[in-house]
Amino acid sequence: MKKKLTILLAIAMMSTMMTACGGNDTTDDTDTTTTTTTASEETTEEETTEEETEAEAEETTAQVLVLPEGTVAEEGDAYLAYGDSQWWLQYGGNDMEPLSYGAVVAHIDGDGTYTVSLDASNADAVEMNGLDVINGCSFCAIVIQNGEELFPDQATSITIDSIKLDDVEVEFTKNYCNYEDGNLRTNIFNSYVTEAPTEDVWTADGDLTDISAQIVPASTFDSFSKIEVTFTISSSSTDNGDADSDSADADSDSVEDSATDEESDVE
């Protein structure tokens, strides 16, 4: 009897052990399934992140392509050079400068009247700069790009006709011309020149009396959005002088011929 009980207990223990082993196998399978699912989810998240990054990059590229273009002053172009009190809003003929957006230049193709302007309230300028008002002035001048080579020997002059700020005309005194960095220039307001020079400068009428590098007071530029300047280009020519000389020579020859004829008649 005891022997039978012993055999039955042994069979019961073996059954329990086999059941336990079977449970462990099931647990391992579950863990494997869970691990596989997690890895798959991580891969999907990585792919989604990459797609989002590429989409953002494409959107950024599209935005760069539609940026407004500034105005470039080419050779022979007149432009209004400007720098505000902090040299933040400025323009010097370069299309990457804050006031290049909406800037109007004029190509000089001979004597005549031209107009140049800057407009901080221009839509493109506001978009790029975030403000529509110019405060103060460090420097303002009309500049003709490469003007020293194109208009040499101080033979071409710039005469200011009118200055308008926000469409209102302002009073000004007499300007003069000079060459600077290879360009032909006339100052409207130059905070760095307090006394008018007396050498290597000229005016259309040849009179340097009362000329100034600050033809308007600094307070004129306290706060405004648009500035427009109209000016006249005039060239002194030696043709008239040569013609006058030729005419004088011709008159002299004519007088001499007449005198010779009279002498011949007397004889």
Coordinates of all heavy atoms in Angstrom, one line a residue, residues 194-244:
T194 N 31.2 118.8 -40.8 CA 30.5 119.9 -40.2 C 30.9 121.2 -40.9 O 30.2 122.2 -40.8 CB 30.8 120.0 -38.7 OG1 32.3 120.1 -38.5 CG2 30.3 118.8 -38.0
E195 N 32.0 121.2 -41.6 CA 32.4 122.4 -42.3 C 32.6 122.1 -43.8 O 33.2 121.0 -44.1 CB 33.8 122.9 -41.8 CG 33.7 123.5 -40.3 CD 35.0 124.1 -39.9 OE1 35.9 124.2 -40.7 OE2 35.1 124.4 -38.7
A196 N 32.1 123.0 -44.7 CA 32.2 122.7 -46.1 C 33.6 122.7 -46.6 O 34.4 123.6 -46.2 CB 31.4 123.8 -46.8
P197 N 34.0 121.7 -47.4 CA 35.4 121.7 -47.9 C 35.6 122.8 -49.0 O 34.6 123.3 -49.5 CB 35.5 120.3 -48.5 CG 34.1 119.9 -48.9 CD 33.2 120.6 -47.8
T198 N 36.8 123.1 -49.2 CA 37.1 124.1 -50.2 C 37.9 123.6 -51.4 O 38.2 124.3 -52.3 CB 37.9 125.3 -49.5 OG1 39.1 124.7 -48.9 CG2 37.1 125.9 -48.5
E199 N 38.4 122.3 -51.3 CA 39.2 121.7 -52.4 C 38.5 120.5 -52.9 O 37.8 119.8 -52.2 CB 40.5 121.3 -51.8 CG 41.4 122.5 -51.4 CD 42.8 122.1 -50.9 OE1 43.0 120.8 -50.9 OE2 43.6 122.9 -50.6
D200 N 38.6 120.3 -54.2 CA 38.1 119.1 -54.9 C 36.6 119.0 -54.8 O 36.0 117.9 -54.7 CB 38.7 117.8 -54.4 CG 40.2 117.8 -54.6 OD1 40.7 118.3 -55.7 OD2 41.0 117.3 -53.7
V201 N 35.9 120.2 -54.8 CA 34.5 120.2 -54.8 C 34.0 121.3 -55.8 O 34.8 122.2 -56.2 CB 33.9 120.6 -53.4 CG1 34.3 119.6 -52.4 CG2 34.4 122.0 -53.0
W202 N 32.8 121.1 -56.3 CA 32.3 122.0 -57.3 C 30.8 122.1 -57.3 O 30.1 121.3 -56.7 CB 32.9 121.6 -58.7 CG 32.3 120.3 -59.3 CD1 31.2 120.2 -60.1 CD2 32.8 119.0 -59.0 NE1 31.0 118.9 -60.4 CE2 31.9 118.1 -59.7 CE3 33.8 118.5 -58.2 CZ2 32.1 116.7 -59.6 CZ3 34.0 117.1 -58.1 CH2 33.1 116.3 -58.8
T203 N 30.3 123.1 -58.0 CA 28.8 123.3 -58.2 C 28.5 123.6 -59.6 O 29.5 123.9 -60.4 CB 28.3 124.5 -57.3 OG1 28.9 125.7 -57.8 CG2 28.6 124.2 -55.8
A204 N 27.3 123.5 -60.0 CA 26.9 123.7 -61.4 C 27.2 125.1 -61.8 O 27.6 125.4 -63.0 CB 25.4 123.4 -61.6
D205 N 27.0 126.1 -60.9 CA 27.3 127.5 -61.3 C 28.7 128.0 -61.0 O 29.0 129.1 -61.3 CB 26.2 128.4 -60.7 CG 26.3 128.4 -59.1 OD1 27.3 127.8 -58.6 OD2 25.4 129.0 -58.5
G206 N 29.5 127.1 -60.5 CA 30.9 127.5 -60.2 C 31.1 128.3 -58.9 O 32.2 128.7 -58.6
D207 N 30.0 128.6 -58.2 CA 30.1 129.4 -57.0 C 30.0 128.5 -55.8 O 29.0 127.8 -55.6 CB 28.9 130.4 -57.0 CG 29.0 131.4 -55.9 OD1 30.0 131.3 -55.1 OD2 28.0 132.2 -55.7
L208 N 31.0 128.6 -54.9 CA 31.1 127.7 -53.7 C 30.5 128.5 -52.5 O 30.6 127.9 -51.4 CB 32.5 127.2 -53.5 CG 33.1 126.4 -54.6 CD1 34.5 125.9 -54.2 CD2 32.2 125.2 -54.9
T209 N 30.0 129.7 -52.7 CA 29.5 130.5 -51.6 C 28.3 129.7 -50.9 O 27.4 129.3 -51.6 CB 29.1 131.9 -52.0 OG1 30.2 132.5 -52.7 CG2 28.6 132.7 -50.8
D210 N 28.4 129.6 -49.6 CA 27.3 129.1 -48.8 C 27.0 127.6 -49.0 O 25.9 127.1 -48.7 CB 26.0 129.8 -49.0 CG 26.1 131.3 -48.6 OD1 26.8 131.5 -47.6 OD2 25.5 132.2 -49.2
I211 N 27.9 126.9 -49.6 CA 27.7 125.4 -49.8 C 27.8 124.7 -48.4 O 28.4 125.2 -47.5 CB 28.8 124.8 -50.8 CG1 30.2 124.9 -50.2 CG2 28.6 125.4 -52.2 CD1 31.2 124.2 -51.0
S212 N 27.2 123.5 -48.3 CA 27.2 122.8 -47.1 C 27.0 121.3 -47.3 O 26.4 120.9 -48.3 CB 26.0 123.3 -46.2 OG 25.9 122.6 -45.0
A213 N 27.6 120.5 -46.4 CA 27.4 119.1 -46.4 C 26.1 118.7 -45.6 O 25.7 117.6 -45.5 CB 28.6 118.4 -45.8
Q214 N 25.5 119.7 -45.0 CA 24.2 119.5 -44.3 C 23.2 120.6 -44.7 O 23.0 121.6 -44.1 CB 24.5 119.7 -42.8 CG 25.5 118.7 -42.2 CD 25.8 118.8 -40.8 OE1 25.2 119.6 -40.1 NE2 26.8 118.0 -40.3
I215 N 22.6 120.3 -45.9 CA 21.8 121.4 -46.5 C 20.4 121.4 -45.8 O 19.5 122.2 -46.2 CB 21.6 121.2 -48.0 CG1 21.0 119.8 -48.4 CG2 23.0 121.3 -48.7 CD1 20.7 119.7 -49.8
V216 N 20.1 120.4 -44.9 CA 18.9 120.5 -44.1 C 19.3 120.2 -42.7 O 20.3 119.5 -42.5 CB 17.8 119.4 -44.6 CG1 17.3 119.8 -45.9 CG2 18.4 118.0 -44.5
P217 N 18.6 120.7 -41.7 CA 19.0 120.4 -40.3 C 18.7 119.0 -39.9 O 17.8 118.3 -40.5 CB 18.1 121.4 -39.5 CG 16.9 121.7 -40.4 CD 17.5 121.7 -41.8
A218 N 19.4 118.5 -38.9 CA 19.2 117.1 -38.4 C 17.8 116.8 -38.0 O 17.3 115.7 -38.2 CB 20.2 116.8 -37.3
S219 N 17.1 117.8 -37.4 CA 15.8 117.6 -36.9 C 14.8 117.2 -38.0 O 13.7 116.7 -37.7 CB 15.3 118.8 -36.1 OG 15.3 120.0 -37.0
T220 N 15.1 117.5 -39.2 CA 14.3 117.2 -40.4 C 14.0 115.7 -40.4 O 12.9 115.3 -40.8 CB 14.9 117.7 -41.7 OG1 15.2 119.1 -41.6 CG2 14.0 117.4 -42.9
F221 N 14.9 114.9 -40.0 CA 14.8 113.5 -40.1 C 14.4 112.8 -38.8 O 14.6 111.6 -38.7 CB 16.2 112.9 -40.6 CG 16.7 113.5 -41.9 CD1 17.7 114.5 -41.8 CD2 16.2 113.1 -43.1 CE1 18.2 115.0 -43.0 CE2 16.7 113.6 -44.3 CZ 17.7 114.6 -44.2
D222 N 13.8 113.5 -37.9 CA 13.5 112.9 -36.6 C 12.6 111.6 -36.7 O 12.9 110.6 -36.1 CB 12.7 113.9 -35.7 CG 13.7 114.9 -35.1 OD1 14.9 114.7 -35.2 OD2 13.2 115.9 -34.5
S223 N 11.6 111.7 -37.6 CA 10.7 110.5 -37.7 C 9.9 110.7 -39.0 O 9.2 111.7 -39.2 CB 9.7 110.4 -36.6 OG 8.9 109.3 -36.7
F224 N 10.1 109.7 -40.0 CA 9.4 109.8 -41.2 C 9.4 108.4 -41.8 O 10.1 107.5 -41.4 CB 10.0 110.8 -42.2 CG 11.4 110.4 -42.6 CD1 11.6 109.8 -43.8 CD2 12.5 110.7 -41.8 CE1 12.9 109.4 -44.2 CE2 13.8 110.3 -42.2 CZ 14.0 109.7 -43.4
S225 N 8.7 108.2 -42.9 CA 8.6 106.9 -43.6 C 9.2 106.9 -45.0 O 9.9 106.0 -45.4 CB 7.2 106.4 -43.7 OG 6.7 106.1 -42.4
K226 N 9.0 108.0 -45.7 CA 9.4 108.1 -47.1 C 10.2 109.4 -47.4 O 9.8 110.4 -46.9 CB 8.2 108.0 -48.0 CG 8.6 108.1 -49.5 CD 7.3 108.0 -50.4 CE 7.7 108.0 -51.9 NZ 6.5 107.9 -52.7
I227 N 11.3 109.3 -48.1 CA 12.0 110.4 -48.6 C 12.2 110.3 -50.1 O 12.5 109.3 -50.6 CB 13.4 110.5 -47.9 CG1 14.2 111.7 -48.4 CG2 14.2 109.2 -48.0 CD1 15.4 112.0 -47.6
E228 N 12.0 111.5 -50.7 CA 12.1 111.5 -52.2 C 12.9 112.8 -52.6 O 12.6 113.9 -52.1 CB 10.7 111.6 -52.8 CG 10.6 111.7 -54.3 CD 9.2 111.8 -54.9 OE1 8.6 110.8 -55.0 OE2 8.8 113.0 -55.1
V229 N 13.9 112.6 -53.4 CA 14.7 113.7 -53.8 C 14.8 113.8 -55.4 O 15.0 112.9 -56.0 CB 16.2 113.6 -53.3 CG1 17.0 114.8 -53.7 CG2 16.1 113.5 -51.8
T230 N 14.5 115.0 -55.9 CA 14.6 115.3 -57.3 C 15.8 116.2 -57.6 O 16.0 117.2 -56.8 CB 13.3 116.0 -57.8 OG1 12.2 115.1 -57.5 CG2 13.4 116.3 -59.3
F231 N 16.5 115.9 -58.6 CA 17.7 116.7 -58.9 C 18.0 116.8 -60.4 O 17.4 116.1 -61.2 CB 19.0 116.0 -58.2 CG 19.2 114.5 -58.7 CD1 20.0 114.2 -59.7 CD2 18.5 113.5 -58.1 CE1 20.2 112.9 -60.2 CE2 18.6 112.2 -58.5 CZ 19.5 111.9 -59.6
T232 N 18.9 117.7 -60.7 CA 19.2 117.9 -62.1 C 20.7 117.6 -62.4 O 21.5 118.0 -61.6 CB 18.9 119.4 -62.5 OG1 17.5 119.6 -62.4 CG2 19.4 119.7 -64.0
I233 N 20.9 116.9 -63.5 CA 22.3 116.6 -63.9 C 22.6 117.6 -65.0 O 21.9 117.7 -66.0 CB 22.4 115.1 -64.4 CG1 22.2 114.1 -63.3 CG2 23.8 114.9 -65.1 CD1 23.3 114.1 -62.3
S234 N 23.7 118.2 -64.9 CA 24.2 119.2 -65.9 C 25.7 119.0 -66.2 O 26.4 118.8 -65.2 CB 23.9 120.6 -65.5 OG 24.5 120.9 -64.3
S235 N 26.1 119.1 -67.4 CA 27.5 118.9 -67.8 C 28.0 120.1 -68.4 O 27.4 120.7 -69.3 CB 27.6 117.7 -68.8 OG 27.1 116.5 -68.2
S236 N 29.2 120.5 -68.0 CA 29.9 121.6 -68.6 C 30.6 121.1 -69.8 O 31.2 120.0 -69.8 CB 30.9 122.3 -67.6 OG 31.9 121.3 -67.2
S237 N 30.5 121.7 -70.9 CA 31.1 121.2 -72.2 C 32.1 122.2 -72.8 O 32.0 123.4 -72.7 CB 29.9 121.0 -73.2 OG 30.5 120.6 -74.5
T238 N 33.2 121.6 -73.3 CA 34.2 122.4 -74.0 C 33.8 122.6 -75.4 O 34.5 123.4 -76.1 CB 35.6 121.6 -73.9 OG1 35.4 120.4 -74.6 CG2 36.0 121.5 -72.5
D239 N 32.8 122.0 -75.9 CA 32.4 122.2 -77.3 C 32.1 123.7 -77.6 O 32.5 124.2 -78.6 CB 31.2 121.4 -77.7 CG 31.5 119.9 -77.6 OD1 32.7 119.6 -77.6 OD2 30.6 119.1 -77.5
N240 N 31.4 124.3 -76.7 CA 31.0 125.7 -76.9 C 32.3 126.6 -77.0 O 32.4 127.5 -77.8 CB 30.1 126.2 -75.8 CG 28.7 125.6 -75.9 OD1 28.3 125.2 -77.0 ND2 28.0 125.5 -74.8
G241 N 33.2 126.3 -76.0 CA 34.4 127.0 -76.0 C 35.2 126.9 -77.3 O 35.7 127.8 -77.9
D242 N 35.3 125.6 -77.8 CA 36.0 125.4 -79.1 C 35.3 126.1 -80.2 O 35.9 126.6 -81.1 CB 36.0 123.9 -79.3 CG 36.9 123.1 -78.3 OD1 37.7 123.8 -77.7 OD2 36.7 121.9 -78.2
A243 N 33.9 126.1 -80.1 CA 33.2 126.7 -81.2 C 33.4 128.2 -81.2 O 33.6 128.9 -82.3 CB 31.7 126.4 -81.0
D244 N 33.5 128.8 -80.0 CA 33.7 130.2 -79.9 C 35.1 130.6 -80.4 O 35.3 131.6 -81.1 CB 33.6 130.7 -78.4 CG 32.2 130.6 -77.9 OD1 31.3 130.5 -78.8 OD2 32.0 130.6 -76.7

